[in-house]
Amino acid sequence: DFLFFWGAVFLITTTLVALLKKENKELTPTKEETKGITDTYRLLFSIIKMPAVLTFCLMILTAKVGFSAADAVTGLKLVEEGVPKEHLALLAVPMVPLQIILPLVISKYTAGPQPLNTFYKAMPFRLLLGLEFAFLVWWTPKVRHEGGFPVYYYIVVLLSYALHQITLYSMYVAIMAFNAKVSDPLIGGTYMTLLNTVSNLGGNWPSTVALWLVDPLTVKECAGAPDQTCRTLAAAEV
């Protein structure tokens, strides 16, 4: 019902924009150097070839490898250990005000001449939180009882998520501030889109690889079959 309602709103509003909004026929001169798609991609290629941009792209493509597993797998492992999905979803609700406030607070520290300093300072804390998440997954089955999980367990999870959000947004806002700062104003939109796309890709590919590696790296034991390692899918089925 939720998706249907907003889908209908989306269709109605976009249709009204298409029917009622009129284009401005008077052409206004623009400072953008690109005039079409071909020019834009040619310009993007010339930007990527710049040594500083190439080095920066390599950095942001690999910077998030260290905490990809913690970000992508922790929630799934908690569910696997018996934490109800609806309880984890409810824990996301208190994070919303935090996610609204954090960029406002962090932007004060990224507005200076060196916005990436915040990125560097947040990284070791986020790496340490990855270890804390691993401990949380190990601790989860030990506190579970017949009635579920105690209240203090959810408080620990909530605090862990809150600290994670602080480090995550510190790095996110810092990288966005840096991208905005270094982008050439003449081609600002093209320049920023390129850097932000590479930054998003740098967060997505390590998470995908981490999820793919979960099964082969998970230690399995076969109950009642001591000679079986259960490492392969076929062995586990047997």
Side-chain angles (χ1 to χ4, degrees), residues 3-51:
L3 291 173
F4 179 80
F5 174 78
W6 288 111
V9 170
F10 180 81
L11 283 171
I12 292 165
T13 51
T14 48
T15 305
L16 288 173
V17 168
L19 293 174
L20 303 177
K21 180 74 177 74
K22 302 299 180 186
E23 294 292 339
N24 187 2
K25 292 181 180 179
E26 293 180 10
L27 294 174
T28 54
T30 176
K31 290 183 179 180
E32 288 271 350
E33 291 183 357
T34 55
K35 294 188 176 107
I37 294 173
T38 309
D39 289 341
T40 303
Y41 279 100
R42 195 179 290 120
L43 181 63
L44 284 171
F45 187 67
S46 64
I47 293 169
I48 291 172
K49 287 195 296 183
M50 293 164 64

mmCIF file of all heavy atoms in Angstrom, residues 3-51:
data_model
loop_
_atom_site.group_PDB
_atom_site.id
_atom_site.type_symbol
_atom_site.label_atom_id
_atom_site.label_comp_id
_atom_site.label_asym_id
_atom_site.label_seq_id
_atom_site.Cartn_x
_atom_site.Cartn_y
_atom_site.Cartn_z
ATOM 1 N N LEU A 3 3.994 1.583 -1.128
ATOM 2 C CA LEU A 3 4.635 1.732 -2.441
ATOM 3 C C LEU A 3 3.622 2.141 -3.508
ATOM 4 O O LEU A 3 3.930 2.964 -4.388
ATOM 5 C CB LEU A 3 5.316 0.425 -2.840
ATOM 6 C CG LEU A 3 6.548 0.032 -2.022
ATOM 7 C CD1 LEU A 3 7.023 -1.363 -2.408
ATOM 8 C CD2 LEU A 3 7.677 1.026 -2.235
ATOM 9 N N PHE A 4 2.407 1.577 -3.426
ATOM 10 C CA PHE A 4 1.369 1.905 -4.411
ATOM 11 C C PHE A 4 0.989 3.389 -4.314
ATOM 12 O O PHE A 4 0.857 4.079 -5.328
ATOM 13 C CB PHE A 4 0.133 1.028 -4.182
ATOM 14 C CG PHE A 4 -0.992 1.322 -5.141
ATOM 15 C CD1 PHE A 4 -0.985 0.803 -6.425
ATOM 16 C CD2 PHE A 4 -2.054 2.129 -4.756
ATOM 17 C CE1 PHE A 4 -2.011 1.079 -7.321
ATOM 18 C CE2 PHE A 4 -3.087 2.424 -5.631
ATOM 19 C CZ PHE A 4 -3.059 1.886 -6.915
ATOM 20 N N PHE A 5 0.827 3.882 -3.059
ATOM 21 C CA PHE A 5 0.436 5.280 -2.858
ATOM 22 C C PHE A 5 1.473 6.229 -3.440
ATOM 23 O O PHE A 5 1.151 7.132 -4.219
ATOM 24 C CB PHE A 5 0.241 5.553 -1.363
ATOM 25 C CG PHE A 5 -0.012 7.003 -1.045
ATOM 26 C CD1 PHE A 5 -1.264 7.569 -1.246
ATOM 27 C CD2 PHE A 5 1.014 7.810 -0.563
ATOM 28 C CE1 PHE A 5 -1.498 8.909 -0.957
ATOM 29 C CE2 PHE A 5 0.796 9.153 -0.286
ATOM 30 C CZ PHE A 5 -0.472 9.700 -0.483
ATOM 31 N N TRP A 6 2.739 6.017 -3.069
ATOM 32 C CA TRP A 6 3.786 6.942 -3.541
ATOM 33 C C TRP A 6 4.073 6.757 -5.024
ATOM 34 O O TRP A 6 4.476 7.703 -5.707
ATOM 35 C CB TRP A 6 5.057 6.781 -2.709
ATOM 36 C CG TRP A 6 4.867 7.353 -1.339
ATOM 37 C CD1 TRP A 6 4.788 6.669 -0.157
ATOM 38 C CD2 TRP A 6 4.680 8.726 -1.004
ATOM 39 N NE1 TRP A 6 4.568 7.534 0.884
ATOM 40 C CE2 TRP A 6 4.499 8.805 0.393
ATOM 41 C CE3 TRP A 6 4.632 9.899 -1.750
ATOM 42 C CZ2 TRP A 6 4.291 10.009 1.043
ATOM 43 C CZ3 TRP A 6 4.427 11.100 -1.094
ATOM 44 C CH2 TRP A 6 4.250 11.148 0.291
ATOM 45 N N GLY A 7 3.852 5.539 -5.537
ATOM 46 C CA GLY A 7 3.971 5.333 -6.983
ATOM 47 C C GLY A 7 2.936 6.155 -7.735
ATOM 48 O O GLY A 7 3.233 6.770 -8.765
ATOM 49 N N ALA A 8 1.703 6.171 -7.196
ATOM 50 C CA ALA A 8 0.632 6.962 -7.814
ATOM 51 C C ALA A 8 0.948 8.458 -7.747
ATOM 52 O O ALA A 8 0.768 9.190 -8.728
ATOM 53 C CB ALA A 8 -0.686 6.662 -7.114
ATOM 54 N N VAL A 9 1.442 8.912 -6.588
ATOM 55 C CA VAL A 9 1.814 10.332 -6.432
ATOM 56 C C VAL A 9 2.908 10.700 -7.434
ATOM 57 O O VAL A 9 2.863 11.750 -8.074
ATOM 58 C CB VAL A 9 2.291 10.606 -4.978
ATOM 59 C CG1 VAL A 9 2.905 11.999 -4.861
ATOM 60 C CG2 VAL A 9 1.136 10.464 -4.005
ATOM 61 N N PHE A 10 3.896 9.818 -7.574
ATOM 62 C CA PHE A 10 5.002 10.056 -8.501
ATOM 63 C C PHE A 10 4.495 10.186 -9.937
ATOM 64 O O PHE A 10 4.872 11.112 -10.674
ATOM 65 C CB PHE A 10 6.008 8.904 -8.385
ATOM 66 C CG PHE A 10 7.196 9.045 -9.292
ATOM 67 C CD1 PHE A 10 8.266 9.848 -8.940
ATOM 68 C CD2 PHE A 10 7.246 8.359 -10.493
ATOM 69 C CE1 PHE A 10 9.364 9.981 -9.773
ATOM 70 C CE2 PHE A 10 8.342 8.491 -11.331
ATOM 71 C CZ PHE A 10 9.401 9.299 -10.974
ATOM 72 N N LEU A 11 3.617 9.257 -10.344
ATOM 73 C CA LEU A 11 3.081 9.287 -11.707
ATOM 74 C C LEU A 11 2.264 10.554 -11.966
ATOM 75 O O LEU A 11 2.383 11.185 -13.020
ATOM 76 C CB LEU A 11 2.208 8.052 -11.956
ATOM 77 C CG LEU A 11 2.950 6.734 -12.210
ATOM 78 C CD1 LEU A 11 1.977 5.567 -12.218
ATOM 79 C CD2 LEU A 11 3.690 6.787 -13.535
ATOM 80 N N ILE A 12 1.430 10.934 -10.980
ATOM 81 C CA ILE A 12 0.569 12.117 -11.146
ATOM 82 C C ILE A 12 1.407 13.387 -11.251
ATOM 83 O O ILE A 12 1.209 14.212 -12.145
ATOM 84 C CB ILE A 12 -0.443 12.217 -9.979
ATOM 85 C CG1 ILE A 12 -1.456 11.060 -10.072
ATOM 86 C CG2 ILE A 12 -1.168 13.556 -9.998
ATOM 87 C CD1 ILE A 12 -2.269 10.854 -8.806
ATOM 88 N N THR A 13 2.379 13.539 -10.336
ATOM 89 C CA THR A 13 3.180 14.775 -10.332
ATOM 90 C C THR A 13 4.044 14.894 -11.588
ATOM 91 O O THR A 13 4.127 15.970 -12.195
ATOM 92 C CB THR A 13 4.078 14.834 -9.087
ATOM 93 O OG1 THR A 13 4.804 13.602 -8.977
ATOM 94 C CG2 THR A 13 3.277 15.066 -7.835
ATOM 95 N N THR A 14 4.669 13.806 -12.005
ATOM 96 C CA THR A 14 5.503 13.886 -13.208
ATOM 97 C C THR A 14 4.669 14.140 -14.459
ATOM 98 O O THR A 14 5.093 14.852 -15.370
ATOM 99 C CB THR A 14 6.332 12.591 -13.397
ATOM 100 O OG1 THR A 14 5.483 11.460 -13.238
ATOM 101 C CG2 THR A 14 7.462 12.500 -12.399
ATOM 102 N N THR A 15 3.451 13.563 -14.500
ATOM 103 C CA THR A 15 2.556 13.811 -15.634
ATOM 104 C C THR A 15 2.133 15.276 -15.676
ATOM 105 O O THR A 15 2.108 15.905 -16.753
ATOM 106 C CB THR A 15 1.310 12.898 -15.545
ATOM 107 O OG1 THR A 15 1.732 11.542 -15.454
ATOM 108 C CG2 THR A 15 0.421 13.077 -16.767
ATOM 109 N N LEU A 16 1.818 15.836 -14.508
ATOM 110 C CA LEU A 16 1.432 17.253 -14.440
ATOM 111 C C LEU A 16 2.581 18.163 -14.861
ATOM 112 O O LEU A 16 2.373 19.170 -15.555
ATOM 113 C CB LEU A 16 0.979 17.602 -13.021
ATOM 114 C CG LEU A 16 -0.388 17.029 -12.594
ATOM 115 C CD1 LEU A 16 -0.650 17.299 -11.116
ATOM 116 C CD2 LEU A 16 -1.515 17.626 -13.446
ATOM 117 N N VAL A 17 3.802 17.811 -14.448
ATOM 118 C CA VAL A 17 4.976 18.604 -14.857
ATOM 119 C C VAL A 17 5.123 18.553 -16.383
ATOM 120 O O VAL A 17 5.355 19.575 -17.037
ATOM 121 C CB VAL A 17 6.255 18.085 -14.158
ATOM 122 C CG1 VAL A 17 7.497 18.699 -14.786
ATOM 123 C CG2 VAL A 17 6.207 18.399 -12.679
ATOM 124 N N ALA A 18 4.967 17.347 -16.966
ATOM 125 C CA ALA A 18 5.098 17.189 -18.417
ATOM 126 C C ALA A 18 4.036 17.993 -19.180
ATOM 127 O O ALA A 18 4.312 18.571 -20.233
ATOM 128 C CB ALA A 18 5.004 15.709 -18.787
ATOM 129 N N LEU A 19 2.824 18.047 -18.631
ATOM 130 C CA LEU A 19 1.721 18.719 -19.327
ATOM 131 C C LEU A 19 1.713 20.233 -19.102
ATOM 132 O O LEU A 19 1.406 20.998 -20.015
ATOM 133 C CB LEU A 19 0.387 18.132 -18.870
ATOM 134 C CG LEU A 19 0.115 16.668 -19.256
ATOM 135 C CD1 LEU A 19 -1.170 16.180 -18.609
ATOM 136 C CD2 LEU A 19 0.046 16.503 -20.773
ATOM 137 N N LEU A 20 2.026 20.662 -17.881
ATOM 138 C CA LEU A 20 1.832 22.070 -17.512
ATOM 139 C C LEU A 20 3.098 22.921 -17.575
ATOM 140 O O LEU A 20 3.029 24.128 -17.744
ATOM 141 C CB LEU A 20 1.236 22.160 -16.098
ATOM 142 C CG LEU A 20 -0.100 21.416 -15.885
ATOM 143 C CD1 LEU A 20 -0.534 21.532 -14.432
ATOM 144 C CD2 LEU A 20 -1.179 21.977 -16.814
ATOM 145 N N LYS A 21 4.263 22.301 -17.398
ATOM 146 C CA LYS A 21 5.503 23.092 -17.379
ATOM 147 C C LYS A 21 5.934 23.420 -18.800
ATOM 148 O O LYS A 21 6.055 22.539 -19.641
ATOM 149 C CB LYS A 21 6.606 22.309 -16.666
ATOM 150 C CG LYS A 21 7.932 23.041 -16.596
ATOM 151 C CD LYS A 21 7.888 24.176 -15.582
ATOM 152 C CE LYS A 21 9.243 24.862 -15.454
ATOM 153 N NZ LYS A 21 9.560 25.706 -16.600
ATOM 154 N N LYS A 22 6.168 24.702 -19.073
ATOM 155 C CA LYS A 22 6.585 25.131 -20.396
ATOM 156 C C LYS A 22 8.070 25.478 -20.376
ATOM 157 O O LYS A 22 8.569 26.082 -19.423
ATOM 158 C CB LYS A 22 5.774 26.361 -20.843
ATOM 159 C CG LYS A 22 4.262 26.133 -20.872
ATOM 160 C CD LYS A 22 3.881 25.036 -21.840
ATOM 161 C CE LYS A 22 2.362 24.817 -21.846
ATOM 162 N NZ LYS A 22 1.982 23.654 -22.665
ATOM 163 N N GLU A 23 8.753 25.099 -21.445
ATOM 164 C CA GLU A 23 10.178 25.401 -21.535
ATOM 165 C C GLU A 23 10.382 26.876 -21.873
ATOM 166 O O GLU A 23 9.571 27.496 -22.567
ATOM 167 C CB GLU A 23 10.834 24.535 -22.618
ATOM 168 C CG GLU A 23 10.853 23.049 -22.308
ATOM 169 C CD GLU A 23 11.768 22.704 -21.144
ATOM 170 O OE1 GLU A 23 12.653 23.502 -20.836
ATOM 171 O OE2 GLU A 23 11.576 21.634 -20.546
ATOM 172 N N ASN A 24 11.492 27.413 -21.388
ATOM 173 C CA ASN A 24 11.851 28.784 -21.706
ATOM 174 C C ASN A 24 12.479 28.811 -23.087
ATOM 175 O O ASN A 24 13.554 28.240 -23.304
ATOM 176 C CB ASN A 24 12.830 29.320 -20.648
ATOM 177 C CG ASN A 24 13.108 30.801 -20.826
ATOM 178 O OD1 ASN A 24 12.538 31.435 -21.718
ATOM 179 N ND2 ASN A 24 13.974 31.340 -19.993
ATOM 180 N N LYS A 25 11.827 29.465 -24.038
ATOM 181 C CA LYS A 25 12.298 29.458 -25.423
ATOM 182 C C LYS A 25 13.495 30.393 -25.642
ATOM 183 O O LYS A 25 14.219 30.269 -26.619
ATOM 184 C CB LYS A 25 11.157 29.837 -26.367
ATOM 185 C CG LYS A 25 10.073 28.756 -26.423
ATOM 186 C CD LYS A 25 8.971 29.130 -27.375
ATOM 187 C CE LYS A 25 7.903 28.027 -27.405
ATOM 188 N NZ LYS A 25 6.786 28.361 -28.295
ATOM 189 N N GLU A 26 13.656 31.363 -24.753
ATOM 190 C CA GLU A 26 14.797 32.270 -24.882
ATOM 191 C C GLU A 26 16.053 31.577 -24.371
ATOM 192 O O GLU A 26 16.155 31.246 -23.190
ATOM 193 C CB GLU A 26 14.547 33.555 -24.081
ATOM 194 C CG GLU A 26 13.417 34.404 -24.632
ATOM 195 C CD GLU A 26 13.218 35.661 -23.805
ATOM 196 O OE1 GLU A 26 14.087 35.936 -22.947
ATOM 197 O OE2 GLU A 26 12.220 36.343 -24.021
ATOM 198 N N LEU A 27 16.995 31.358 -25.255
ATOM 199 C CA LEU A 27 18.227 30.662 -24.891
ATOM 200 C C LEU A 27 19.122 31.593 -24.088
ATOM 201 O O LEU A 27 19.440 32.701 -24.530
ATOM 202 C CB LEU A 27 18.958 30.178 -26.146
ATOM 203 C CG LEU A 27 18.228 29.097 -26.960
ATOM 204 C CD1 LEU A 27 18.997 28.818 -28.246
ATOM 205 C CD2 LEU A 27 18.098 27.822 -26.146
ATOM 206 N N THR A 28 19.516 31.169 -22.930
ATOM 207 C CA THR A 28 20.424 31.969 -22.097
ATOM 208 C C THR A 28 21.832 31.404 -22.233
ATOM 209 O O THR A 28 22.032 30.192 -22.184
ATOM 210 C CB THR A 28 19.992 31.920 -20.618
ATOM 211 O OG1 THR A 28 19.882 30.551 -20.219
ATOM 212 C CG2 THR A 28 18.652 32.601 -20.414
ATOM 213 N N PRO A 29 22.814 32.268 -22.424
ATOM 214 C CA PRO A 29 24.190 31.780 -22.554
ATOM 215 C C PRO A 29 24.654 31.111 -21.262
ATOM 216 O O PRO A 29 24.374 31.588 -20.168
ATOM 217 C CB PRO A 29 25.006 33.054 -22.827
ATOM 218 C CG PRO A 29 24.144 34.175 -22.320
ATOM 219 C CD PRO A 29 22.735 33.730 -22.478
ATOM 220 N N THR A 30 25.347 30.004 -21.417
ATOM 221 C CA THR A 30 25.817 29.263 -20.251
ATOM 222 C C THR A 30 27.333 29.211 -20.224
ATOM 223 O O THR A 30 27.982 29.266 -21.277
ATOM 224 C CB THR A 30 25.245 27.828 -20.254
ATOM 225 O OG1 THR A 30 25.806 27.114 -19.163
ATOM 226 C CG2 THR A 30 25.581 27.080 -21.535
ATOM 227 N N LYS A 31 27.884 29.103 -19.016
ATOM 228 C CA LYS A 31 29.334 29.021 -18.879
ATOM 229 C C LYS A 31 29.856 27.604 -19.074
ATOM 230 O O LYS A 31 31.055 27.386 -19.148
ATOM 231 C CB LYS A 31 29.735 29.522 -17.481
ATOM 232 C CG LYS A 31 29.542 31.020 -17.297
ATOM 233 C CD LYS A 31 30.029 31.453 -15.933
ATOM 234 C CE LYS A 31 29.860 32.952 -15.755
ATOM 235 N NZ LYS A 31 30.319 33.408 -14.431
ATOM 236 N N GLU A 32 28.934 26.642 -19.144
ATOM 237 C CA GLU A 32 29.353 25.252 -19.334
ATOM 238 C C GLU A 32 30.054 25.103 -20.679
ATOM 239 O O GLU A 32 29.584 25.608 -21.697
ATOM 240 C CB GLU A 32 28.133 24.323 -19.279
ATOM 241 C CG GLU A 32 27.556 24.169 -17.891
ATOM 242 C CD GLU A 32 28.205 23.024 -17.120
ATOM 243 O OE1 GLU A 32 28.959 22.249 -17.722
ATOM 244 O OE2 GLU A 32 27.939 22.936 -15.912
ATOM 245 N N GLU A 33 31.176 24.405 -20.687
ATOM 246 C CA GLU A 33 31.929 24.216 -21.913
ATOM 247 C C GLU A 33 31.348 23.119 -22.796
ATOM 248 O O GLU A 33 31.652 23.051 -23.977
ATOM 249 C CB GLU A 33 33.387 23.872 -21.569
ATOM 250 C CG GLU A 33 34.148 25.044 -20.965
ATOM 251 C CD GLU A 33 35.604 24.705 -20.689
ATOM 252 O OE1 GLU A 33 35.985 23.547 -20.918
ATOM 253 O OE2 GLU A 33 36.334 25.584 -20.251
ATOM 254 N N THR A 34 30.545 22.235 -22.217
ATOM 255 C CA THR A 34 30.008 21.112 -22.982
ATOM 256 C C THR A 34 28.677 21.485 -23.613
ATOM 257 O O THR A 34 27.872 22.201 -23.032
ATOM 258 C CB THR A 34 29.810 19.894 -22.072
ATOM 259 O OG1 THR A 34 28.987 20.274 -20.971
ATOM 260 C CG2 THR A 34 31.143 19.385 -21.543
ATOM 261 N N LYS A 35 28.468 20.956 -24.838
ATOM 262 C CA LYS A 35 27.232 21.265 -25.545
ATOM 263 C C LYS A 35 26.379 20.028 -25.797
ATOM 264 O O LYS A 35 25.241 20.123 -26.171
ATOM 265 C CB LYS A 35 27.564 21.937 -26.877
ATOM 266 C CG LYS A 35 28.211 23.303 -26.708
ATOM 267 C CD LYS A 35 28.349 23.999 -28.046
ATOM 268 C CE LYS A 35 28.901 25.395 -27.855
ATOM 269 N NZ LYS A 35 30.266 25.568 -28.265
ATOM 270 N N GLY A 36 26.951 18.839 -25.620
ATOM 271 C CA GLY A 36 26.200 17.609 -25.880
ATOM 272 C C GLY A 36 26.796 16.433 -25.132
ATOM 273 O O GLY A 36 27.777 16.577 -24.399
ATOM 274 N N ILE A 37 26.194 15.263 -25.359
ATOM 275 C CA ILE A 37 26.636 14.058 -24.659
ATOM 276 C C ILE A 37 28.062 13.689 -25.047
ATOM 277 O O ILE A 37 28.889 13.353 -24.202
ATOM 278 C CB ILE A 37 25.667 12.885 -24.950
ATOM 279 C CG1 ILE A 37 24.289 13.190 -24.339
ATOM 280 C CG2 ILE A 37 26.200 11.577 -24.388
ATOM 281 C CD1 ILE A 37 23.211 12.195 -24.695
ATOM 282 N N THR A 38 28.369 13.758 -26.339
ATOM 283 C CA THR A 38 29.708 13.395 -26.816
ATOM 284 C C THR A 38 30.770 14.288 -26.187
ATOM 285 O O THR A 38 31.816 13.818 -25.716
ATOM 286 C CB THR A 38 29.784 13.489 -28.351
ATOM 287 O OG1 THR A 38 28.704 12.758 -28.926
ATOM 288 C CG2 THR A 38 31.102 12.924 -28.866
ATOM 289 N N ASP A 39 30.488 15.605 -26.174
ATOM 290 C CA ASP A 39 31.429 16.554 -25.562
ATOM 291 C C ASP A 39 31.612 16.275 -24.077
ATOM 292 O O ASP A 39 32.718 16.383 -23.550
ATOM 293 C CB ASP A 39 30.924 17.994 -25.743
ATOM 294 C CG ASP A 39 31.034 18.457 -27.182
ATOM 295 O OD1 ASP A 39 31.814 17.833 -27.927
ATOM 296 O OD2 ASP A 39 30.342 19.413 -27.556
ATOM 297 N N THR A 40 30.516 15.916 -23.408
ATOM 298 C CA THR A 40 30.578 15.654 -21.970
ATOM 299 C C THR A 40 31.483 14.468 -21.669
ATOM 300 O O THR A 40 32.340 14.541 -20.783
ATOM 301 C CB THR A 40 29.161 15.378 -21.414
ATOM 302 O OG1 THR A 40 28.323 16.497 -21.706
ATOM 303 C CG2 THR A 40 29.202 15.167 -19.910
ATOM 304 N N TYR A 41 31.312 13.371 -22.418
ATOM 305 C CA TYR A 41 32.143 12.177 -22.169
ATOM 306 C C TYR A 41 33.598 12.424 -22.565
ATOM 307 O O TYR A 41 34.509 11.896 -21.931
ATOM 308 C CB TYR A 41 31.565 10.967 -22.905
ATOM 309 C CG TYR A 41 30.428 10.327 -22.153
ATOM 310 C CD1 TYR A 41 29.105 10.567 -22.498
ATOM 311 C CD2 TYR A 41 30.673 9.494 -21.057
ATOM 312 C CE1 TYR A 41 28.064 9.998 -21.791
ATOM 313 C CE2 TYR A 41 29.635 8.917 -20.345
ATOM 314 C CZ TYR A 41 28.330 9.170 -20.718
ATOM 315 O OH TYR A 41 27.297 8.614 -20.009
ATOM 316 N N ARG A 42 33.807 13.217 -23.603
ATOM 317 C CA ARG A 42 35.176 13.574 -23.980
ATOM 318 C C ARG A 42 35.835 14.379 -22.868
ATOM 319 O O ARG A 42 37.006 14.179 -22.530
ATOM 320 C CB ARG A 42 35.156 14.365 -25.287
ATOM 321 C CG ARG A 42 36.540 14.477 -25.947
ATOM 322 C CD ARG A 42 36.479 15.247 -27.240
ATOM 323 N NE ARG A 42 35.782 14.489 -28.287
ATOM 324 C CZ ARG A 42 34.675 14.894 -28.902
ATOM 325 N NH1 ARG A 42 34.118 16.035 -28.574
ATOM 326 N NH2 ARG A 42 34.127 14.158 -29.827
ATOM 327 N N LEU A 43 35.057 15.279 -22.278
ATOM 328 C CA LEU A 43 35.554 16.096 -21.173
ATOM 329 C C LEU A 43 35.837 15.232 -19.943
ATOM 330 O O LEU A 43 36.872 15.402 -19.275
ATOM 331 C CB LEU A 43 34.519 17.173 -20.835
ATOM 332 C CG LEU A 43 34.866 18.141 -19.710
ATOM 333 C CD1 LEU A 43 36.088 18.973 -20.068
ATOM 334 C CD2 LEU A 43 33.694 19.056 -19.409
ATOM 335 N N LEU A 44 34.925 14.287 -19.634
ATOM 336 C CA LEU A 44 35.128 13.378 -18.505
ATOM 337 C C LEU A 44 36.414 12.578 -18.668
ATOM 338 O O LEU A 44 37.171 12.384 -17.710
ATOM 339 C CB LEU A 44 33.944 12.424 -18.373
ATOM 340 C CG LEU A 44 32.660 12.980 -17.772
ATOM 341 C CD1 LEU A 44 31.530 11.977 -17.912
ATOM 342 C CD2 LEU A 44 32.849 13.347 -16.317
ATOM 343 N N PHE A 45 36.668 12.115 -19.891
ATOM 344 C CA PHE A 45 37.875 11.329 -20.155
ATOM 345 C C PHE A 45 39.128 12.175 -19.939
ATOM 346 O O PHE A 45 40.120 11.702 -19.378
ATOM 347 C CB PHE A 45 37.836 10.791 -21.592
ATOM 348 C CG PHE A 45 38.942 9.828 -21.903
ATOM 349 C CD1 PHE A 45 39.006 8.584 -21.288
ATOM 350 C CD2 PHE A 45 39.934 10.175 -22.816
ATOM 351 C CE1 PHE A 45 40.035 7.696 -21.573
ATOM 352 C CE2 PHE A 45 40.964 9.301 -23.106
ATOM 353 C CZ PHE A 45 41.018 8.051 -22.485
ATOM 354 N N SER A 46 39.066 13.437 -20.364
ATOM 355 C CA SER A 46 40.230 14.321 -20.171
ATOM 356 C C SER A 46 40.447 14.630 -18.689
ATOM 357 O O SER A 46 41.588 14.787 -18.244
ATOM 358 C CB SER A 46 40.043 15.625 -20.960
ATOM 359 O OG SER A 46 38.936 16.359 -20.457
ATOM 360 N N ILE A 47 39.344 14.686 -17.905
ATOM 361 C CA ILE A 47 39.474 14.921 -16.456
ATOM 362 C C ILE A 47 40.126 13.719 -15.788
ATOM 363 O O ILE A 47 41.041 13.862 -14.971
ATOM 364 C CB ILE A 47 38.089 15.206 -15.817
ATOM 365 C CG1 ILE A 47 37.517 16.531 -16.316
ATOM 366 C CG2 ILE A 47 38.188 15.229 -14.291
ATOM 367 C CD1 ILE A 47 36.059 16.764 -15.941
ATOM 368 N N ILE A 48 39.666 12.516 -16.139
ATOM 369 C CA ILE A 48 40.187 11.291 -15.527
ATOM 370 C C ILE A 48 41.676 11.131 -15.801
ATOM 371 O O ILE A 48 42.416 10.596 -14.969
ATOM 372 C CB ILE A 48 39.402 10.055 -16.035
ATOM 373 C CG1 ILE A 48 37.973 10.080 -15.484
ATOM 374 C CG2 ILE A 48 40.072 8.744 -15.625
ATOM 375 C CD1 ILE A 48 37.065 9.027 -16.057
ATOM 376 N N LYS A 49 42.141 11.594 -16.974
ATOM 377 C CA LYS A 49 43.552 11.442 -17.343
ATOM 378 C C LYS A 49 44.483 12.331 -16.523
ATOM 379 O O LYS A 49 45.695 12.118 -16.523
ATOM 380 C CB LYS A 49 43.745 11.741 -18.830
ATOM 381 C CG LYS A 49 43.211 10.646 -19.744
ATOM 382 C CD LYS A 49 43.733 10.787 -21.169
ATOM 383 C CE LYS A 49 43.244 12.064 -21.820
ATOM 384 N NZ LYS A 49 43.687 12.159 -23.227
ATOM 385 N N MET A 50 43.922 13.314 -15.823
ATOM 386 C CA MET A 50 44.766 14.190 -15.002
ATOM 387 C C MET A 50 45.379 13.380 -13.849
ATOM 388 O O MET A 50 44.662 12.636 -13.171
ATOM 389 C CB MET A 50 43.933 15.347 -14.437
ATOM 390 C CG MET A 50 43.439 16.318 -15.497
ATOM 391 S SD MET A 50 42.107 17.376 -14.889
ATOM 392 C CE MET A 50 42.961 18.275 -13.609
ATOM 393 N N PRO A 51 46.691 13.480 -13.620
ATOM 394 C CA PRO A 51 47.361 12.643 -12.600
ATOM 395 C C PRO A 51 46.744 12.755 -11.207
ATOM 396 O O PRO A 51 46.553 11.738 -10.529
ATOM 397 C CB PRO A 51 48.806 13.167 -12.609
ATOM 398 C CG PRO A 51 48.986 13.779 -13.962
ATOM 399 C CD PRO A 51 47.659 14.330 -14.347
#
